[in-house]
Amino acid sequence: MPEYDDVMMTSNSYNLPFNVNFTQETLPKGLKRFEQKQNNELLNILEYDHQGNLIFKYYRQFVSETWNGKFLTIIERNFYNNKNQLTKTIVLNSNTGSSENEYDYDSEGNLILVKTRGLPACGNNNNPWRYIENLIAINDFDADKNVIKVDKNINYNSLIYKYDFNKKQVTTYFKNQEPDQNFYIVYNFNSLNQLISKTAFDRNSVNYSNSYFIEYNGNKKVTKEYDDEKNTTQTTNEFKENLFTIIETINTEFHFKQKRKYFGKTLISDDSFTENNNEKTLEKYDLDEYNIPTKMTHDTNGKIDSEASFLNKYEFFKN
């Protein structure tokens, strides 16, 4: 998917705890399947095809000891065409249900259409589809009843992507809605094809709380977010250190500072400070040979309050 698209797939998220994700840059050569466990509980499964495309992502997040099943489970299944373009994503969420995106491209490979459909889970925030935690293989997922149902659902929304002549501006809006009416989004790019803004419009007025603006200073990418009164709410600095990505965030709305270090999109350290309660927290990770965590140590104001150990298993293609 283009980097400017805000499709919230589990494999794209920086914000889910203990969520293991490689990028094409950090993916171990020839990796077929990765599994991660904590105390014999599966937390992550990643599966790739021969081209290095992510085709299956299984993720579990601990909620509480009293919650039904204790863990939230999210599973993502991706499909590609012969150009290695993502054509379809199906997601199962044990608490909310299933969703599906289908992607269409023009002859030059530009995304022009996203069709979305969904199937909600019936329940009162009680993990009604807990059963999906057992779908740990692609064949199990593809044969699941709720995957089949959402894939056959004829009710979907169509999101159009319209490009200007120089492809420096992309306007996205729902089908059958003119882009100068109601809600639409404009993405702008500089001469280096770097995204410089996502601007949301509501009846031609800028909706700042759903927008962001980006500057590039040397090797730093600086993203600024605002509230509807145009007050700065968050500034994020992102830059590279070898294969690692550093993301520094200053949030003026909730008064916290955070510095995170990632390998691919896998968190490997988190140093945060919250001004309101004068609390400093630090998550440190021991890493294996592929820079994936094997142990996490969390301390608050200098005192260790939790630890977690992980068992990682890798399977590679034979040729």
Side-chain angles (χ1 to χ4, degrees):
M1 294 298 298
E3 290 186 1
Y4 59 84
D5 193 66
D6 294 322
V7 177
M8 286 304 296
M9 297 186 295
T10 314
S11 57
N12 284 348
S13 176
Y14 279 101
N15 297 316
L16 297 174
F18 306 139
N19 186 24
V20 173
N21 288 302
F22 294 104
T23 62
Q24 288 296 317
E25 185 183 23
T26 62
L27 179 67
K29 185 177 180 180
L31 181 64
K32 180 180 181 181
R33 184 178 170 95
F34 167 84
E35 292 184 5
Q36 184 183 68
K37 291 183 178 180
Q38 180 194 7
N39 298 329
N40 212 35
E41 291 277 5
L42 268 170
L43 295 186
N44 286 283
I45 300 174
L46 298 168
E47 195 159 334
Y48 296 85
D49 63 17
H50 281 279
Q51 288 71 44
N53 297 312
L54 178 65
I55 55 178
F56 185 75
K57 171 76 172 102
Y58 175 103
Y59 166 77
R60 294 177 77 209
Q61 175 183 321
F62 180 76
V63 179
S64 76
E65 288 289 341
T66 58
W67 201 57
N68 180 30
K70 299 181 183 180
F71 286 83
L72 169 74
T73 304
I74 307 174
I75 311 177
E76 174 187 322
R77 177 82 163 92
N78 295 316
F79 300 84
Y80 303 82
N81 60 21
N82 57 10
K83 297 180 181 179
N84 291 320
Q85 294 170 321
L86 183 63
T87 58
K88 182 165 68 174
T89 296
I90 301 176
V91 176
L92 293 180
N93 184 305
S94 63
N95 195 45
T96 62
S98 58
S99 61
E100 178 179 307
N101 291 340
E102 292 184 6
Y103 312 101
D104 290 340
Y105 305 85
D106 64 18
S107 60
E108 297 180 6
N110 299 302
L111 179 69
I112 56 174
L113 176 67
V114 178
K115 295 190 294 186
T116 64
R117 64 192 94 192
L119 183 68
C122 296
N124 186 22
N125 193 31
N126 194 36
N127 217 24
W129 286 8
R130 176 186 170 185
Y131 79 93
I132 71 169
E133 67 189 24
N134 298 312
L135 305 178
I136 62 174
I138 286 178
N139 290 341
D140 297 332
F141 183 94
D142 291 348
D144 178 71
K145 60 182 179 181
N146 286 310
V147 169
I148 295 171
K149 283 181 182 179
V150 75
D151 204 30
K152 289 183 176 180
N153 187 354
I154 62 173
N155 297 313
Y156 55 80
N157 292 316
S158 295
L159 196 61
I160 306 294
Y161 287 78
K162 184 178 180 180
Y163 296 74
D164 71 353
F165 179 76
N166 294 317
K167 293 188 172 65
K168 299 303 181 188
Q169 180 174 291
V170 182
T171 303
T172 181
Y173 54 95
F174 285 104
K175 190 177 182 179
N176 301 324
Q177 175 192 300
E178 293 299 323
D180 60 348
Q181 298 177 2
N182 300 321
F183 188 84
Y184 63 99
I185 292 172
V186 176
Y187 299 94
N188 285 292
F189 300 82
N190 62 20
S191 59
L192 299 176
N193 289 319
Q194 296 170 315
L195 178 65
I196 56 174
S197 66
K198 169 198 169 184
T199 310
F201 291 89
D202 193 351
R203 296 191 180 276
N204 292 324
S205 296
V206 175
N207 185 326
Y208 282 95
S209 61
N210 285 296
S211 306
Y212 54 78
F213 303 86
I214 303 172
E215 300 173 357
Y216 298 88
N217 298 326
N219 70 332
K220 279 192 176 183
K221 173 183 175 183
V222 182
T223 303
K224 293 186 177 181
E225 302 174 43
Y226 302 87
D227 62 20
D228 287 328
E229 283 71 44
K230 296 178 64 175
N231 300 307
T232 304
T233 58
Q234 185 164 289
T235 301
T236 303
N237 291 290
E238 180 179 333
F239 56 95
K240 288 282 190 179
E241 285 187 355
N242 299 317
L243 289 177
F244 301 101
T245 300
I246 310 299
I247 299 179
E248 298 174 334
T249 301
I250 298 176
N251 187 290
T252 56
E253 184 178 12
F254 299 105
H255 306 287
F256 71 81
K257 297 179 181 179
Q258 186 175 51
K259 181 178 181 180
R260 288 182 165 189
K261 186 175 182 179
Y262 293 86
F263 179 75
K265 292 185 177 180
T266 299
L267 180 67
I268 58 174
S269 71
D270 182 351
D271 190 351
S272 303
F273 176 74
T274 305
E275 184 178 318
N276 288 348
N277 56 8
N278 200 33
E279 182 177 88
K280 180 178 176 59
T281 62
L282 177 63
E283 285 183 8
K284 295 188 296 184
Y285 292 82
D286 296 337
L287 307 175
D288 66 13
E289 61 184 306
Y290 301 107
N291 291 301
I292 299 301
T294 57
K295 182 181 179 180
M296 183 278 293
T297 303
H298 184 281
D299 70 54
T300 302
N301 293 332
K303 294 183 179 181
I304 295 175
D305 47 26
S306 65
E307 292 182 328
S309 296
F310 311 101
L311 179 64
N312 301 332
K313 178 182 177 182
Y314 297 83
E315 179 183 350
F316 292 87
F317 288 107
K318 295 180 179 179
N319 50 45

